[in-house]
Amino acid sequence: MEEIKKSISAILYERTTSPLFGTFIFSWLLWNWKIPYLSFFVSENKLKINKIDYIISNYNDCHYLVTYPLISTFILLTIIPFLSNGAYWLSINFENWKLKHKNLIESKQLLTVEQSIELREQILKQEERFSKLVQDKNLEIESLKKQIDSDKTLVKVDETTNNSNSELEKLAERIMNNSDELDTFNTITRAIQNNYKIQNDPITTKLVALLESYDIIHKPEALYKFTETGRRFLRYITA
């Protein structure tokens, strides 16, 4: 019984929620509203006979019970939605037409003095904002250009330093492979470190000129001194 009850409830729910059956029930109630009214709200004492016999004898019209409800259901499910969609389409087109003509009229309407002043102020503000943006971008570009130039300078300095170090390494290798030049260089080094004058013999003079050409030593006053390059060169010699 419980399963039968659930099955009947499911069928009734499906029928009542279906657009077709729901619309048919609504149409049938519109055409035959007196039947449920008599069934629920009128007493048999006023009818003199029982309600069923009274309804059968007075409201047993096939057109009211079947034909008219079916016609109403068909109209409600087909013609009325079509008319509703047509009315909605007309409403949208009318709104578009109204908006189009409103914009057309407003475009031809002259601005007042106050509106012109306000529009001019807005344009000036936009121009100032645009000018500031351009100026900021130009400053940013200049800053990037300076950064790029600085990086290029650093690269060139590094390349020059690397080339200089390579030349110093080659000179140090040459002096260390030549015993006469190595002895002369050691003599020159001791003289500079002890603040002595360097001898003027031909070999020493030739090597001094070579060291000066590489900016290893210089003579700011009476005595020779090692430069910053010379101090790097000493590290190659003593390595």
Side-chain angles (χ1 to χ4, degrees):
M1 291 297 295
E2 186 67 24
E3 293 297 327
I4 295 174
K5 182 179 178 181
K6 290 181 180 180
S7 177
I8 294 173
S9 298
I11 294 172
L12 290 176
Y13 176 78
E14 181 182 357
R15 294 294 185 268
T16 54
T17 55
S18 171
L20 176 62
F21 287 99
T23 306
F24 178 78
I25 292 172
F26 176 76
S27 299
W28 189 89
L29 291 174
L30 285 178
W31 287 103
N32 301 279
W33 63 271
K34 293 181 180 180
I35 295 176
Y37 177 76
L38 289 171
S39 299
F40 296 105
F41 301 105
V42 178
S43 174
E44 288 185 353
N45 296 329
K46 296 181 179 181
L47 300 177
K48 298 180 181 180
I49 59 175
N50 63 65
K51 292 181 180 181
I52 296 176
D53 292 338
Y54 183 84
I55 290 172
I56 291 174
S57 60
N58 292 279
Y59 302 107
N60 191 19
D61 189 340
C62 181
H63 294 299
Y64 278 88
L65 293 175
V66 179
T67 306
Y68 296 156
L70 285 176
I71 295 173
S72 300
T73 300
F74 176 79
I75 293 173
L76 290 174
L77 292 177
T78 57
I79 298 176
I80 290 181
F82 177 78
L83 295 176
S84 177
N85 290 334
Y88 181 69
W89 180 82
L90 290 175
S91 175
I92 291 177
N93 281 273
F94 177 75
E95 290 295 331
N96 291 334
W97 177 84
K98 185 171 65 174
L99 182 61
K100 179 180 178 180
H101 283 74
K102 178 183 177 182
N103 294 334
L104 180 63
I105 293 172
E106 289 180 350
S107 64
K108 293 181 179 180
Q109 185 177 1
L110 295 177
L111 296 176
T112 63
V113 176
E114 291 78 8
Q115 290 174 336
S116 300
I117 295 174
E118 183 179 358
L119 180 60
R120 180 59 179 169
E121 289 178 351
Q122 291 178 357
I123 293 174
L124 291 175
K125 288 180 180 179
Q126 291 296 328
E127 290 178 350
E128 291 177 359
R129 181 172 175 272
F130 180 75
S131 177
K132 188 175 183 304
L133 288 174
V134 172
Q135 185 178 1
D136 292 340
K137 289 299 179 182
N138 289 334
L139 291 175
E140 184 177 354
I141 291 172
E142 291 297 327
S143 176
L144 291 174
K145 285 182 178 179
K146 290 180 180 179
Q147 184 65 37
I148 292 172
D149 293 338
S150 176
D151 293 341
K152 288 182 179 179
T153 303
L154 291 175
V155 171
K156 290 180 179 178
V157 170
D158 290 339
E159 290 177 352
T160 303
T161 302
N162 292 333
N163 293 333
S164 176
N165 291 337
S166 178
E167 292 177 358
L168 291 177
E169 289 177 357
K170 291 180 181 179
L171 180 60
E173 183 179 358
R174 167 190 161 179
I175 291 174
M176 287 188 295
N177 291 331
N178 190 318
S179 59
D180 293 336
E181 287 186 350
L182 181 60
D183 292 339
T184 303
F185 179 77
N186 290 332
T187 301
I188 293 171
T189 302
R190 286 192 297 271
I192 293 174
Q193 291 175 344
N194 294 308
N195 293 325
Y196 294 153
K197 287 186 177 181
I198 298 174
Q199 297 178 0
N200 291 326
D201 58 274
I203 297 178
T204 303
T205 303
K206 183 178 179 181
L207 186 57
V208 167
L210 180 62
L211 295 175
E212 283 184 317
S213 67
Y214 278 87
D215 194 30
I216 296 173
I217 61 174
H218 69 134
K219 193 176 183 181
E221 297 178 353
L223 301 176
Y224 279 97
K225 303 288 184 182
F226 279 108
T227 62
E228 182 64 30
T229 304
R231 283 188 282 273
R232 291 205 315 270
F233 181 75
L234 286 175
R235 290 196 290 270
Y236 295 136
I237 291 291
T238 58

mmCIF file of all heavy atoms in Angstrom, residues 34-49 51 54:
data_model
loop_
_atom_site.group_PDB
_atom_site.id
_atom_site.type_symbol
_atom_site.label_atom_id
_atom_site.label_comp_id
_atom_site.label_asym_id
_atom_site.label_seq_id
_atom_site.Cartn_x
_atom_site.Cartn_y
_atom_site.Cartn_z
ATOM 1 N N LYS A 34 -18.564 26.260 -11.036
ATOM 2 C CA LYS A 34 -19.739 26.003 -10.192
ATOM 3 C C LYS A 34 -19.707 24.596 -9.574
ATOM 4 O O LYS A 34 -20.242 24.394 -8.481
ATOM 5 C CB LYS A 34 -21.022 26.174 -11.004
ATOM 6 C CG LYS A 34 -21.274 27.608 -11.444
ATOM 7 C CD LYS A 34 -22.580 27.712 -12.225
ATOM 8 C CE LYS A 34 -22.842 29.147 -12.661
ATOM 9 N NZ LYS A 34 -24.102 29.286 -13.419
ATOM 10 N N ILE A 35 -19.102 23.655 -10.279
ATOM 11 C CA ILE A 35 -19.059 22.286 -9.766
ATOM 12 C C ILE A 35 -18.261 22.211 -8.468
ATOM 13 O O ILE A 35 -18.767 21.695 -7.455
ATOM 14 C CB ILE A 35 -18.500 21.325 -10.834
ATOM 15 C CG1 ILE A 35 -19.468 21.254 -12.030
ATOM 16 C CG2 ILE A 35 -18.258 19.933 -10.257
ATOM 17 C CD1 ILE A 35 -18.972 20.423 -13.180
ATOM 18 N N PRO A 36 -17.009 22.667 -8.399
ATOM 19 C CA PRO A 36 -16.305 22.626 -7.103
ATOM 20 C C PRO A 36 -16.938 23.549 -6.061
ATOM 21 O O PRO A 36 -16.902 23.251 -4.864
ATOM 22 C CB PRO A 36 -14.879 23.081 -7.459
ATOM 23 C CG PRO A 36 -15.004 23.779 -8.749
ATOM 24 C CD PRO A 36 -16.130 23.144 -9.482
ATOM 25 N N TYR A 37 -17.578 24.650 -6.531
ATOM 26 C CA TYR A 37 -18.225 25.547 -5.576
ATOM 27 C C TYR A 37 -19.394 24.831 -4.891
ATOM 28 O O TYR A 37 -19.543 24.882 -3.655
ATOM 29 C CB TYR A 37 -18.705 26.803 -6.286
ATOM 30 C CG TYR A 37 -19.462 27.750 -5.383
ATOM 31 C CD1 TYR A 37 -18.793 28.554 -4.466
ATOM 32 C CD2 TYR A 37 -20.860 27.824 -5.452
ATOM 33 C CE1 TYR A 37 -19.491 29.407 -3.643
ATOM 34 C CE2 TYR A 37 -21.573 28.672 -4.620
ATOM 35 C CZ TYR A 37 -20.875 29.470 -3.715
ATOM 36 O OH TYR A 37 -21.568 30.310 -2.881
ATOM 37 N N LEU A 38 -20.222 24.154 -5.691
ATOM 38 C CA LEU A 38 -21.339 23.407 -5.127
ATOM 39 C C LEU A 38 -20.863 22.240 -4.263
ATOM 40 O O LEU A 38 -21.457 21.919 -3.236
ATOM 41 C CB LEU A 38 -22.238 22.882 -6.249
ATOM 42 C CG LEU A 38 -23.070 23.927 -7.002
ATOM 43 C CD1 LEU A 38 -23.745 23.293 -8.215
ATOM 44 C CD2 LEU A 38 -24.129 24.538 -6.074
ATOM 45 N N SER A 39 -19.752 21.621 -4.681
ATOM 46 C CA SER A 39 -19.262 20.438 -3.959
ATOM 47 C C SER A 39 -18.764 20.795 -2.566
ATOM 48 O O SER A 39 -18.932 20.012 -1.623
ATOM 49 C CB SER A 39 -18.148 19.766 -4.754
ATOM 50 O OG SER A 39 -18.635 19.344 -6.006
ATOM 51 N N PHE A 40 -18.133 21.969 -2.409
ATOM 52 C CA PHE A 40 -17.468 22.289 -1.143
ATOM 53 C C PHE A 40 -18.202 23.334 -0.295
ATOM 54 O O PHE A 40 -18.022 23.371 0.915
ATOM 55 C CB PHE A 40 -16.046 22.778 -1.421
ATOM 56 C CG PHE A 40 -15.166 21.730 -2.036
ATOM 57 C CD1 PHE A 40 -14.842 21.787 -3.384
ATOM 58 C CD2 PHE A 40 -14.689 20.661 -1.288
ATOM 59 C CE1 PHE A 40 -14.038 20.822 -3.964
ATOM 60 C CE2 PHE A 40 -13.875 19.700 -1.865
ATOM 61 C CZ PHE A 40 -13.547 19.777 -3.213
ATOM 62 N N PHE A 41 -18.973 24.198 -0.931
ATOM 63 C CA PHE A 41 -19.502 25.336 -0.170
ATOM 64 C C PHE A 41 -21.050 25.396 -0.088
ATOM 65 O O PHE A 41 -21.582 26.254 0.601
ATOM 66 C CB PHE A 41 -18.993 26.649 -0.792
ATOM 67 C CG PHE A 41 -17.497 26.741 -0.813
ATOM 68 C CD1 PHE A 41 -16.819 26.561 -2.000
ATOM 69 C CD2 PHE A 41 -16.781 26.988 0.351
ATOM 70 C CE1 PHE A 41 -15.436 26.641 -2.026
ATOM 71 C CE2 PHE A 41 -15.428 27.071 0.326
ATOM 72 C CZ PHE A 41 -14.727 26.889 -0.855
ATOM 73 N N VAL A 42 -21.778 24.543 -0.809
ATOM 74 C CA VAL A 42 -23.252 24.589 -0.789
ATOM 75 C C VAL A 42 -23.779 23.338 -0.096
ATOM 76 O O VAL A 42 -23.359 22.219 -0.406
ATOM 77 C CB VAL A 42 -23.814 24.690 -2.219
ATOM 78 C CG1 VAL A 42 -25.342 24.678 -2.182
ATOM 79 C CG2 VAL A 42 -23.299 25.956 -2.894
ATOM 80 N N SER A 43 -24.716 23.532 0.800
ATOM 81 C CA SER A 43 -25.289 22.411 1.551
ATOM 82 C C SER A 43 -26.391 21.726 0.737
ATOM 83 O O SER A 43 -27.097 22.364 -0.047
ATOM 84 C CB SER A 43 -25.864 22.914 2.889
ATOM 85 O OG SER A 43 -26.535 21.883 3.561
ATOM 86 N N GLU A 44 -26.530 20.409 0.961
ATOM 87 C CA GLU A 44 -27.561 19.659 0.232
ATOM 88 C C GLU A 44 -28.965 20.078 0.676
ATOM 89 O O GLU A 44 -29.931 19.866 -0.059
ATOM 90 C CB GLU A 44 -27.379 18.157 0.457
ATOM 91 C CG GLU A 44 -26.163 17.595 -0.257
ATOM 92 C CD GLU A 44 -26.092 16.070 -0.117
ATOM 93 O OE1 GLU A 44 -26.913 15.508 0.646
ATOM 94 O OE2 GLU A 44 -25.227 15.463 -0.784
ATOM 95 N N ASN A 45 -29.089 20.658 1.834
ATOM 96 C CA ASN A 45 -30.404 21.095 2.311
ATOM 97 C C ASN A 45 -30.996 22.171 1.400
ATOM 98 O O ASN A 45 -32.210 22.285 1.265
ATOM 99 C CB ASN A 45 -30.308 21.621 3.737
ATOM 100 C CG ASN A 45 -29.885 20.517 4.705
ATOM 101 O OD1 ASN A 45 -30.207 19.349 4.468
ATOM 102 N ND2 ASN A 45 -29.181 20.877 5.769
ATOM 103 N N LYS A 46 -30.115 22.966 0.796
ATOM 104 C CA LYS A 46 -30.606 24.019 -0.094
ATOM 105 C C LYS A 46 -30.926 23.488 -1.476
ATOM 106 O O LYS A 46 -31.583 24.163 -2.267
ATOM 107 C CB LYS A 46 -29.558 25.114 -0.207
ATOM 108 C CG LYS A 46 -29.297 25.831 1.118
ATOM 109 C CD LYS A 46 -28.268 26.937 0.930
ATOM 110 C CE LYS A 46 -28.033 27.679 2.256
ATOM 111 N NZ LYS A 46 -27.051 28.776 2.096
ATOM 112 N N LEU A 47 -30.431 22.288 -1.810
ATOM 113 C CA LEU A 47 -30.618 21.752 -3.156
ATOM 114 C C LEU A 47 -31.814 20.803 -3.245
ATOM 115 O O LEU A 47 -32.263 20.466 -4.340
ATOM 116 C CB LEU A 47 -29.348 20.997 -3.586
ATOM 117 C CG LEU A 47 -28.060 21.834 -3.635
ATOM 118 C CD1 LEU A 47 -26.878 20.939 -4.006
ATOM 119 C CD2 LEU A 47 -28.182 22.976 -4.630
ATOM 120 N N LYS A 48 -32.252 20.298 -2.096
ATOM 121 C CA LYS A 48 -33.382 19.379 -2.014
ATOM 122 C C LYS A 48 -33.053 17.984 -2.524
ATOM 123 O O LYS A 48 -33.852 17.058 -2.342
ATOM 124 C CB LYS A 48 -34.619 19.914 -2.762
ATOM 125 C CG LYS A 48 -35.136 21.218 -2.195
ATOM 126 C CD LYS A 48 -36.361 21.701 -2.957
ATOM 127 C CE LYS A 48 -36.852 23.028 -2.400
ATOM 128 N NZ LYS A 48 -38.061 23.514 -3.137
ATOM 129 N N ILE A 49 -31.946 17.820 -3.247
ATOM 130 C CA ILE A 49 -31.461 16.505 -3.679
ATOM 131 C C ILE A 49 -29.971 16.440 -3.366
ATOM 132 O O ILE A 49 -29.361 17.459 -3.024
ATOM 133 C CB ILE A 49 -31.734 16.254 -5.174
ATOM 134 C CG1 ILE A 49 -31.038 17.332 -6.031
ATOM 135 C CG2 ILE A 49 -33.232 16.199 -5.476
ATOM 136 C CD1 ILE A 49 -31.166 17.064 -7.527
ATOM 137 N N LYS A 51 -25.925 16.259 -3.958
ATOM 138 C CA LYS A 51 -25.094 17.126 -4.816
ATOM 139 C C LYS A 51 -24.753 16.458 -6.150
ATOM 140 O O LYS A 51 -24.752 17.120 -7.204
ATOM 141 C CB LYS A 51 -23.803 17.491 -4.089
ATOM 142 C CG LYS A 51 -24.012 18.395 -2.889
ATOM 143 C CD LYS A 51 -22.671 18.733 -2.242
ATOM 144 C CE LYS A 51 -22.883 19.644 -1.034
ATOM 145 N NZ LYS A 51 -21.592 20.006 -0.396
ATOM 146 N N TYR A 54 -27.640 16.595 -8.507
ATOM 147 C CA TYR A 54 -27.871 17.975 -8.927
ATOM 148 C C TYR A 54 -26.837 18.390 -9.979
ATOM 149 O O TYR A 54 -27.167 19.047 -10.978
ATOM 150 C CB TYR A 54 -27.803 18.885 -7.705
ATOM 151 C CG TYR A 54 -28.111 20.325 -8.029
ATOM 152 C CD1 TYR A 54 -29.433 20.760 -8.092
ATOM 153 C CD2 TYR A 54 -27.082 21.235 -8.281
ATOM 154 C CE1 TYR A 54 -29.729 22.069 -8.408
ATOM 155 C CE2 TYR A 54 -27.378 22.545 -8.591
ATOM 156 C CZ TYR A 54 -28.694 22.977 -8.654
ATOM 157 O OH TYR A 54 -28.991 24.285 -8.969
#
